[in-house]
């Protein structure tokens, strides 16, 4: 916007000046140099100040937004600890800085217009006096004065417009730079978004990871190291291992959210690449470690991202039944599936949220179901019921389950024990129970035993 404003105003200025040059070149030079020169001078006086104000505002805005997100994310802890004050102070200080800097930049961009008005009309007075005193005749000079006054009157707003647009640009340089940095290297909207239907990548035989390495950009050491894993279609596999072992990272690789640095990830022999990962993801239902809920109806949460008119209520109900959620919805929620569950599901318990997550993953009836600690917030009886329901899907779906509670994995065809980004053991529940020291230690929550075993 400032750029278009600058362009259009330059156009106006150009014609006024050309007209003045045509009528009276000397007058034209005087007017343009005084007005233009003054604006230039003011700009150079303030430009570094403006850039600094803009930088500060940008930095303060980042902090302000961060504080807001964090406070809402940790509201309960903050209230219990009575630590709201510190966040409030950071928020206020930064909010004040933002408003203050914006006010100052506004002042800088508007102030010259008043000074220039004085200058222009003071100039008219001086000319009138000059002609009166020196030339002793006003009659001949009236047209010149009128011309001067009129061109000043037209020129000033145009120059002021250019000036305020330039100050606005200068003030927002930090924002523009940051945007440009964030957007560079980002591709256009993926083509797949434009077409509503992505065809699922064929998956008939197996998912295979071979010698996969992965390191997070910020980390020195790879989180996943030389890991190879084959999952046959319709197999149920379990992933277990100590916290921080790399289980969620491994699952993110399988989900196509991360790409291996080295090694390959194939489905039926087809490498999963950034180009076809959306097709692969069509096959997957995923229940994350913490389920996000939006401030919408229960049905809309189960069919996340599906427009209201397109929600398939039958599928919602089937998914809710498997997740052991249906009875709760029918008996306890006043409006059933239409009940709005509040921002981030604040009106629900942890276990209810997790079951919504499971129902969401099952809504599209995907051939692959990936669960990261999906049943950890459920009480024993509800967990058993959910596992029972998911067990009924076994043999019809490929199921990948991460669990800390080993009984959750009892029915898996194979359990992989992960530690420090490697598979250290694998086998069925019974096999591992017999022979694995890690397994025994974890089953007994025996910390020293686990350390010894690892
Ligand atoms: N986004 C990230 N950036 C940098 N390091 C990360 C990131 N996410 C995880 N890590 C690191 O990678 C390692 C493995 O993390 P991961 O989440 O895969 O563990 P996990 O096995 O799922 O643990 P848990 O059982 O606690 O969920 C950890 O040491 C962690 O610090
Ligand atoms: Mg995890």
């Amino acid at each position: 916007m400032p750029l278009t404003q600058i362009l259009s105003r330059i156009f106006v200025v150009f014609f006024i000046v050309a007209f003045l040059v045509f009528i009276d070149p000397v007058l034209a030079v005087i007017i343009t140099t005084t007005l233009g020169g003054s604006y230039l001078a003011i700009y150079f006086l303030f430009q570094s100040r403006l850039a600094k104000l803009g930088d500060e505002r940008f930095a303060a805005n980042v902090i302000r937004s961060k504080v807001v997100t964090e406070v809402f994310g940790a509201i309960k802890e903050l209230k219990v600890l009575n630590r709201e004050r510190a966040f409030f102070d950071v928020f206020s200080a930064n909010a004040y800085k933002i408003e203050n800097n914006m006010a100052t930049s506004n002042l800088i961009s508007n102030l010259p217009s008043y000074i220039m008005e004085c200058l222009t009309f003071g100039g008219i007075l001086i000319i009138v006096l000059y002609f009166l005193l020196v030339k002793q005749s006003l009659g001949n000079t009236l047209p010149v004065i009128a011309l001067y006054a009129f061109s000043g009157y037209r020129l000033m707003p145009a120059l002021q417009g250019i000036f305020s647009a330039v100050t606005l640009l200068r003030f927002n340089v930090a924002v523009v730079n940051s945007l440009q940095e964030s957007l560079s290297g980002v591709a256009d909207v993926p083509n797949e978004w434009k077409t509503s239907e992505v065809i699922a990548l064929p998956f008939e035989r197996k998912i295979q990871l071979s010698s996969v390495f992965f390191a997070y950009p910020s980390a020195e050491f790879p989180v996943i190291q030389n890991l190879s894993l084959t999952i046959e279609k319709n197999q149920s596999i379990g992933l277990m291992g100590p916290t921080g072992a790399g289980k969620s990272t491994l699952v993110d690789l399988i989900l196509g959210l991360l790409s291996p640095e080295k090694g390959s990830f194939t489905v039926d022999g087809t490498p999963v690449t950034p180009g076809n990962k959306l097709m692969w993801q069509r096959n997957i239902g995923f229940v994350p470690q913490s389920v996000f809920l939006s401030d919408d109806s229960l049905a809309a949460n189960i069919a996340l991202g599906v427009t209201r008119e397109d929600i398939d209520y039958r599928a919602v109900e089937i998914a809710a039944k498997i997740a052991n959620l249906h009875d709760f919805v029918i008996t306890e929620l006043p409006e059933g599936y239409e009940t709005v569950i509040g921002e981030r599901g604040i009106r629900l318990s942890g276990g209810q949220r997790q079951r919504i997550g499971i129902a969401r993953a099952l809504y599209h009836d995907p051939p692959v179901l990936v669960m990261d600690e999906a049943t950890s917030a459920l009480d024993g009886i509800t967990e058993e019921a959910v596992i029972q329901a998911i067990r009924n899907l076994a043999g019809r779906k490929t199921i990948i389950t991460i669990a800390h509670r080993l009984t959750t994995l009892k029915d898996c065809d194979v359990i992989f024990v992960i530690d420090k980004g490697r598979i250290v053991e694998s086998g069925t529940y019974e096999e591992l129970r017999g022979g694995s020291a890690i397994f025994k230690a974890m089953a007994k929550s025996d910390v020293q035993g686990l350390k010894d075993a690892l």
Side-chain angles (χ1 to χ4, degrees):
M1 275 175 60
L3 279 177
T4 53
Q5 185 170 345
I6 291 171
L7 277 179
S8 68
R9 299 296 164 95
I10 283 180
F11 199 67
V12 173
V13 170
F14 174 79
F15 278 101
I16 295 175
V17 172
F19 175 66
L20 284 177
V21 169
F22 177 70
I23 303 280
D24 187 340
V26 181
L27 194 65
V29 172
I30 294 172
I31 293 179
T32 345
T33 45
T34 34
L35 288 181
S38 314
Y39 272 114
L40 267 179
I42 295 172
Y43 175 72
F44 282 110
L45 206 62
F46 284 110
Q47 59 117 0
S48 61
R49 180 87 203 280
L50 279 167
K52 187 162 162 275
L53 287 172
D55 285 349
E56 281 175 7
R57 183 198 59 158
F58 179 71
N61 209 3
V62 170
I63 300 173
R64 184 176 66 162
S65 316
K66 200 174 102 165
V67 166
V68 172
T69 330
E70 288 178 354
V71 163
F72 284 114
I75 189 101
K76 282 191 187 175
E77 291 96 315
L78 288 176
K79 279 202 170 297
V80 172
L81 292 168
N82 200 4
R83 298 271 166 77
E84 296 108 316
R85 180 80 215 183
F87 283 87
F88 176 80
D89 288 344
V90 176
F91 179 87
S92 313
N94 285 286
Y96 180 79
K97 177 156 257 172
I98 293 166
E99 300 309 325
N100 198 29
N101 286 12
M102 282 172 60
T104 314
S105 100
N106 255 326
L107 190 70
I108 294 176
S109 94
N110 285 316
L111 202 61
S113 71
Y114 303 110
I115 302 171
M116 298 317 277
E117 253 166 47
C118 296
L119 251 161
T120 319
F121 294 100
I124 294 178
L125 262 178
I126 291 169
I127 293 177
V128 171
L129 286 176
Y130 168 78
F131 280 110
L132 272 179
L133 298 176
V134 182
K135 300 256 174 107
Q136 309 256 316
S137 79
L138 197 55
N140 306 345
T141 53
L142 260 182
V144 180
I145 292 168
L147 182 67
Y148 179 82
F150 187 69
S151 46
Y153 171 73
R154 300 297 306 173
L155 257 182
M156 272 216 337
L159 288 173
Q160 175 60 35
I162 295 175
F163 179 78
S164 47
V166 172
T167 53
L168 193 61
L169 277 181
R170 196 78 192 113
F171 184 62
N172 284 306
V173 155
V175 178
V176 176
N177 282 344
S178 150
L179 268 178
Q180 198 188 16
E181 202 175 297
S182 310
L183 291 177
S184 69
V186 174
D188 199 6
V189 172
N191 280 331
E192 293 82 349
W193 288 8
K194 294 171 191 159
T195 56
S196 56
E197 275 311 303
V198 177
I199 306 149
L201 191 72
F203 171 45
E204 294 304 331
R205 287 177 286 127
K206 61 186 175 194
I207 303 167
Q208 196 158 31
L209 291 148
S210 6
S211 313
V212 167
F213 282 82
F214 178 82
Y216 284 103
S218 54
E220 266 177 66
F221 301 106
V223 179
I224 299 291
Q225 300 186 43
N226 201 14
L227 188 145
S228 301
L229 177 69
T230 305
I231 304 166
E232 304 286 341
K233 188 179 164 98
N234 294 341
Q235 221 179 14
S236 281
I237 71 141
L239 299 174
M240 58 162 279
T243 180
K247 303 180 297 292
S248 296
T249 310
L250 172 61
V251 157
D252 285 350
L253 286 163
I254 295 174
L255 293 173
L257 296 176
L258 301 172
S259 304
E261 236 154 72
K262 269 197 286 179
S264 72
F265 167 37
T266 57
V267 172
D268 285 3
T270 312
V272 176
T273 60
N276 65 6
K277 76 165 193 244
L278 283 163
M279 293 168 68
W280 163 234
Q281 285 162 345
R282 285 291 303 206
N283 291 298
I284 305 175
F286 174 53
V287 192
Q289 228 165 343
S290 60
V291 175
F292 169 82
L293 296 176
S294 75
D295 184 14
D296 208 334
S297 71
L298 193 78
N301 266 287
I302 291 176
L304 185 74
V306 176
T307 38
R308 204 160 257 285
E309 336 36 290
D310 293 338
I311 294 177
D312 177 352
Y313 282 87
R314 219 174 54 86
V316 166
E317 203 176 305
I318 293 172
K321 277 182 180 153
I322 299 174
N324 207 7
L325 193 66
H326 183 70
D327 287 343
F328 162 74
V329 175
I330 297 303
T331 54
E332 292 189 34
L333 295 183
E335 290 158 62
Y337 286 100
E338 287 309 318
T339 313
V340 172
I341 57 181
E343 200 176 336
R344 296 216 213 165
I346 43 176
R347 297 193 212 157
L348 297 174
S349 77
Q352 289 156 353
R353 273 179 240 185
Q354 244 175 349
R355 282 182 282 162
I356 294 178
I358 296 171
R360 177 187 292 164
L362 292 168
Y363 171 78
H364 291 289
D365 194 21
V368 181
L369 181 63
V370 180
M371 296 185 290
D372 190 346
E373 291 287 337
T375 54
S376 61
L378 305 181
D379 65 72
I381 296 169
T382 314
E383 183 182 29
E384 187 50 44
V386 172
I387 293 173
Q388 185 70 49
I390 288 170
R391 198 177 295 150
N392 292 337
L393 302 171
R396 285 186 288 134
K397 285 190 194 300
T398 310
I399 303 174
I400 301 170
T401 315
I402 298 181
H404 282 125
R405 236 178 276 165
L406 295 174
T407 43
T408 314
L409 302 177
K410 216 164 49 200
D411 298 301
C412 290
D413 299 320
V414 197
I415 298 172
F416 295 96
V417 183
I418 314 260
D419 184 47
K420 301 196 181 75
R422 294 190 174 87
I423 295 177
V424 287
E425 270 177 302
S426 62
T428 63
Y429 182 79
E430 295 302 330
E431 283 166 11
L432 287 173
R433 202 168 61 160
S436 163
I438 301 174
F439 196 84
K440 276 184 200 153
M442 281 196 76
K444 284 194 295 188
S445 309
D446 173 0
V447 177
Q448 192 52 49
L450 186 59
K451 278 188 187 151
D452 294 344
L454 292 172

